[in-house]
Amino acid sequence: MVQNWRPIEYKFILLGDSSVGKSSIFKRLLGNSFSKNQISTLGTEKAILNFDDLEIDKNTRQNFKIVLFDTAGQERYRAITKSYFKDSKGIILIYSIDDETSFKHIETWLDSIKESLSDWKRSGYIIMLLGNKLDIAEEDPETRMIMTEEGENICSEKGIYWGGECSAKTFDESQLKEILAKFIKQVYNKLGEEKKDNEKKNQQIVLISNKLNDKKRVKCCTPK
């Protein structure tokens, strides 16, 4: 088994409308208790999360250092939020399953990402969609506005990763970290595939260059 104990560092950001529970998820990932009176984030908040000895596959284990940013969902902070897209390797896009508007705004958030990163699908950038406030739907099914299948379907349609549904209230730190760990593996595997593709392209470029150089040598050395 390959074991690389030097941590790989990824920058992730939490994205979504105001009041979908981004800050509550952020705090829970840090081991804090759930608060009904969570104050909306103004600008951004940053935290470091360490995932040690994470099993990528049967043959590979790796340490990861995740620099996680919680961003404001209010319109007036969008310019600040966009500045955090660059140099990130993943976005966790969150909606509330009891709020139809937050789900409809997924399109708006994706458009915002595409405007900022025109080549996001080729940049090692992965987006995970996560439905929050599962506890509310479990307590009263009639409050559920977005069915699980709708979340899965939009992920298939838009080519983004489905993280599932969660609750910042009833999920503990380990449960939320398990969701994040799966996302880390997705990012790691995508970057690995892209690295292989780039290496192949570089090899092809070198091969073509060598062939051109060989032709030049033959041409210059051929007697007239």
Side-chain angles (χ1 to χ4, degrees), residues 1 4 32 40 44 46 55-56 61 63 80 89 121 143 148 151 159 166 169 180 183 190 205 216:
M1 176 177 287
N4 187 354
N32 297 336
S40 296
T44 59
K46 174 183 173 182
E55 185 178 357
I56 303 301
R61 287 184 176 273
N63 290 345
I80 297 173
K89 292 304 176 187
K121 282 190 175 181
T143 62
T148 306
C166 71
K169 181 179 180 180
L180 191 54
F183 186 47
K190 179 174 181 180
I205 291 171
K216 287 180 181 178

Side-chain angles (χ1 to χ4, degrees), residues 131-197:
N132 189 31
K133 303 190 181 181
L134 181 61
D135 58 287
I136 296 176
E138 288 178 337
E139 290 174 6
D140 182 2
E142 291 186 2
T143 62
R144 178 187 278 274
M145 295 289 103
I146 308 301
M147 303 304 292
T148 306
E149 293 78 10
E150 294 179 82
E152 295 172 336
N153 290 341
I154 196 170
C155 286
S156 297
E157 179 186 336
K158 301 297 181 181
I160 58 181
Y161 174 65
W162 172 237
E165 296 176 340
C166 71
S167 167
K169 181 179 180 180
T170 59
F171 278 37
D172 60 22
E173 177 186 357
S174 63
Q175 288 173 295
L176 291 174
K177 278 194 170 182
E178 185 177 347
I179 294 172
L180 191 54
K182 291 178 181 179
F183 186 47
I184 292 170
K185 293 177 186 179
Q186 291 286 325
V187 174
Y188 178 86
N189 289 331
K190 179 174 181 180
L191 292 177
E193 289 300 316
E194 289 187 343
K195 183 178 179 182
K196 290 177 183 178
D197 290 341

